[in-house]
Amino acid sequence: MATRTDAPTRREQILREAALLFAERGFHGVGVDEIGAAVGISGPGLYRHFAGKDAMLAELLVGISGRLLTGGKRRVAESDGGDPEALLDSLIEGHIDFALDDRPLITLHDRELDRLRDSDRKLVRQLQRQYVELWVEILREVYPSLAEPAARSAVHSVFGLLNSTPHLGRPGSLPGRGATAELLHRMARGAFAAAAA
């Protein structure tokens, strides 16, 4: 999830374990007692940190959408108007990190987004749209002949490709993180080049 090196807070531990359990058994297949046991506290003890499972799900899904957008904006700011090709590579690398390191959240998003309250689901969608548009702008700088609707379709398609990681098998069955990241990067750039051809 995060690249920080300090120990996760209790709240972060709860969210990480909840994401794993929800992805593995579904939102309704997991009780608060099981989440609590996974982090060494009683189920009712979770209520000191979250109002309930719904609040955990919302924080997980809104949180990852917000982190992707924030990370994308940071990469754009760090590029300081530099080489758009390098910025596109940086955006792809950031999304690949998410796709390889947060696989349970991809599964959770695919299966459980509709369980969020309307306001939380709308916020997730708003954050996602902003993230897509950030990519569309950079993609069109790299490929000026690519029309905006085609660029948007290409971005969504590449997200589908990168977010397929939960279906690649168990983490140990992949060719290694570095090789998988390189493969995904080549495929993403190939897809963008094909869209612009």
Side-chain angles (χ1 to χ4, degrees), residues 5-6 8-9 12 18 24 35 37 52 58 93 96-97 123 141 145 153-156 169-170 173-174 176 185 190:
T5 55
D6 52 328
T9 66
E12 290 168 336
E24 183 182 310
I35 298 168
E93 288 162 12
I96 288 171
D97 285 343
L123 179 55
E141 287 182 37
S145 64
S153 293
V155 168
H156 281 289
R170 303 186 70 69
S173 68
L174 298 177
H185 196 114

Side-chain angles (χ1 to χ4, degrees), residues 64-178:
I64 192 55
S65 297
R67 284 201 317 271
L68 284 169
L69 177 59
T70 299
K73 286 180 174 179
R74 178 182 46 77
R75 288 170 186 272
V76 169
E78 287 171 355
S79 79
D80 198 26
D83 178 15
E85 293 265 1
L87 177 53
L88 182 59
D89 284 332
S90 178
L91 288 173
I92 292 169
E93 288 162 12
H95 200 95
I96 288 171
D97 285 343
F98 157 68
L100 292 176
D101 298 339
D102 289 321
R103 292 167 68 183
L105 289 177
I106 295 171
T107 300
L108 196 57
H109 179 277
D110 289 347
R111 287 201 316 228
E112 311 291 355
L113 182 64
D114 288 342
R115 298 198 190 285
L116 292 182
R117 292 179 312 179
D118 284 347
S119 59
D120 290 326
R121 191 168 52 252
K122 285 177 183 172
L123 179 55
V124 168
R125 294 296 191 204
Q126 178 186 32
L127 293 167
Q128 289 173 340
R129 276 192 301 274
Q130 291 175 41
Y131 183 58
V132 167
E133 293 310 310
L134 186 142
W135 280 65
V136 167
E137 184 176 333
I138 303 308
L139 186 60
R140 294 190 70 218
E141 287 182 37
V142 174
Y143 299 105
S145 64
L146 193 58
E148 190 173 311
R152 193 169 293 110
S153 293
V155 168
H156 281 289
S157 298
V158 166
F159 286 173
L161 167 76
L162 299 179
N163 291 347
S164 69
T165 54
H167 309 290
L168 297 178
R170 303 186 70 69
S173 68
L174 298 177
R177 192 190 189 288

Side-chain angles (χ1 to χ4, degrees), residues 13-39 41-44 46-47 52-57 60 104 107-108 111-112 115:
Q13 291 172 343
I14 292 167
L15 285 172
R16 183 180 60 237
E17 293 302 325
L20 291 169
L21 289 167
F22 292 160
E24 183 182 310
R25 300 208 308 266
F27 180 73
H28 288 303
V30 178
V32 292
D33 290 337
E34 295 167 277
I35 298 168
V39 294
I41 60 176
S42 69
L46 289 178
Y47 294 110
K53 283 193 334 178
D54 290 336
M56 289 179 218
L57 181 65
L60 285 165
T107 300
L108 196 57
R111 287 201 316 228
E112 311 291 355
R115 298 198 190 285

